[in-house]
Amino acid sequence: MTQKEIALLFAYIYNNRVRLEDEKRHLQSNIRFRDADDVDCLELIKATQYLNAFKEITTDIRHLLGFFSDEDEK
């Protein structure tokens, strides 16, 4: 992979992870500050599972490409 491709990959991972974490945080605040209904809870579950899956998949990709530092494994 070229340096540009590596930079694009890491930018993609970072930007999407931040977006997913913000979405989860927003849904959590909705539940805290108002009466939560079933849909609110399901949306939070979905956002949490999507974030967890994204983290797992991107970790696997970084392992396969050899971009996983020793600090990240801890």
Side-chain angles (χ1 to χ4, degrees), residues 6-19:
I6 293 168
L8 287 172
L9 174 65
F10 280 102
Y12 169 81
I13 291 171
Y14 175 78
N15 289 329
N16 279 294
R17 184 170 177 166
V18 168
R19 180 184 56 82

Side-chain angles (χ1 to χ4, degrees), residues 3-40:
Q3 288 295 96
K4 185 176 181 179
E5 292 170 333
I6 293 168
L8 287 172
L9 174 65
F10 280 102
Y12 169 81
I13 291 171
Y14 175 78
N15 289 329
N16 279 294
R17 184 170 177 166
V18 168
R19 180 184 56 82
L20 292 170
E21 288 172 346
D22 286 344
E23 181 180 344
K24 180 184 171 189
R25 199 173 4 261
H26 174 73
L27 292 169
Q28 284 174 327
S29 69
N30 285 350
I31 289 176
R32 278 190 212 122
F33 298 120
R34 64 183 171 130
D35 290 335
D37 60 4
D38 295 342
V39 174
D40 291 327

Side-chain angles (χ1 to χ4, degrees), residues 45-56:
I45 291 168
K46 181 185 133 210
T48 301
Q49 290 303 313
Y50 195 71
L51 175 60
N52 291 340
F54 183 80
K55 287 178 181 179
E56 187 176 325

Side-chain angles (χ1 to χ4, degrees), residues 56-69:
E56 187 176 325
I57 291 167
T58 55
T59 297
D60 290 345
I61 290 169
R62 292 182 344 189
H63 269 294
L64 289 171
L65 295 175
F67 295 130
F68 213 95
S69 68

